[in-house]
Amino acid sequence: MLRDYWRESRRPLVSLVFISPLLVVYEVGVLRLGPAAMRNGAAEWMKSILQSLGFGQYFLLPLLTVGLLLGWHHVTRDRWYVPQHVLYGMAGECTSLALMLVAIAYIQAAILGSITQFAAIDAWSPLGNVITRLFGKAIGFCGAGLYEELLFRLILLTGLISAFHLIGATPLRAAGAAVAVSSLLFSLAHYVGPQGDSFTFFSCLFRFV
């Protein structure tokens, strides 16, 4: 049964159905908040590339994301069916991984002797401002769960594995090297651009791990 779950949860159509709520919440939330929105860097990079190619329509990137997964599913000639229990399993898997990340952060803080608050909110801020900022961060996190994974995992990780295969690496070494390189680039990307974070060893190491 577990083997069936891993196979089903990797199907593009299942992935599309699972991420659709995040996609809608992020794109509508960014439009709703306007300048106050916490935009995702990966999404902004990909949108800027599309704009440089003459495609500046706002909803083009989410439509391309949907089209990519639908096209991938069509090419695999798989059935157009999404088991509901697999979606529940994916939600549970995501929750487990999130709890693991929290545990890693605490362990890392204990080892390095650091106390870092990734989502600190000024205590003196008015209640309305706090709620707006919390909502803005939640919207930004939805974007991170979509576009960062699209860019650094689905596109970059796959490309790196193929590149390491071409230079003669074994499948295991190609996968390991691709995971390490893409994770490092993923971490460093958070400190690039006007909206980038201030670099700290703690946050860089956490994001890499």
Side-chain angles (χ1 to χ4, degrees):
M1 185 173 180
L2 185 59
R3 182 178 300 176
D4 292 338
Y5 168 75
W6 293 128
R7 183 178 63 252
E8 289 290 334
S9 62
R10 292 180 62 177
R11 293 170 56 221
L13 182 62
V14 175
S15 296
L16 175 59
V17 172
F18 187 74
I19 69 168
S20 290
L22 294 178
L23 190 65
V24 172
V25 168
Y26 176 74
E27 296 296 348
V28 174
V30 167
L31 279 179
R32 176 68 178 82
L33 290 175
M38 178 179 168
R39 287 173 166 79
N40 180 257
E44 294 305 305
W45 292 340
M46 288 188 284
K47 286 181 179 180
S48 66
I49 292 174
L50 290 173
Q51 287 178 349
S52 67
L53 296 174
F55 303 100
Q57 294 82 358
Y58 179 80
F59 285 108
L60 183 58
L61 180 59
L63 289 176
L64 286 175
T65 302
V66 173
L68 172 66
L69 290 172
L70 286 177
W72 181 10
H73 182 82
H74 176 70
V75 169
T76 61
R77 299 184 182 278
D78 203 350
R79 65 193 188 283
W80 293 85
Y81 170 69
V82 178
Q84 192 173 26
H85 71 276
V86 173
L87 298 177
Y88 293 145
M90 292 170 72
E93 184 183 352
C94 290
T95 302
S96 301
L97 291 171
L99 293 174
M100 287 174 60
L101 282 176
V102 174
I104 289 171
Y106 276 105
I107 293 171
Q108 182 179 309
I111 294 174
L112 299 179
S114 302
I115 299 177
T116 302
Q117 295 182 359
F118 291 104
I121 297 177
D122 298 329
W124 52 265
S125 297
L127 179 60
N129 191 30
V130 171
I131 293 175
T132 300
R133 292 174 64 183
L134 279 173
F135 182 66
K137 284 182 179 291
I139 294 300
F141 295 154
C142 288
L146 286 167
Y147 293 118
E148 287 182 358
E149 303 308 310
L150 175 65
L151 178 60
F152 289 97
R153 308 292 184 236
L154 186 59
I155 297 175
L156 181 61
L157 180 61
T158 304
L160 286 171
I161 291 176
S162 299
F164 285 122
H165 276 156
L166 288 176
I167 62 175
T170 63
L172 183 60
R173 290 182 177 179
V179 167
V181 172
S182 62
S183 297
L184 179 60
L185 293 175
F186 166 78
S187 181
L188 295 177
H190 286 80
Y191 311 103
V192 176
Q195 292 187 338
D197 296 340
S198 299
F199 179 86
T200 66
F201 177 72
F202 184 97
S203 62
C204 184
L205 179 62
F206 172 76
R207 284 164 171 151
F208 173 78
V209 172

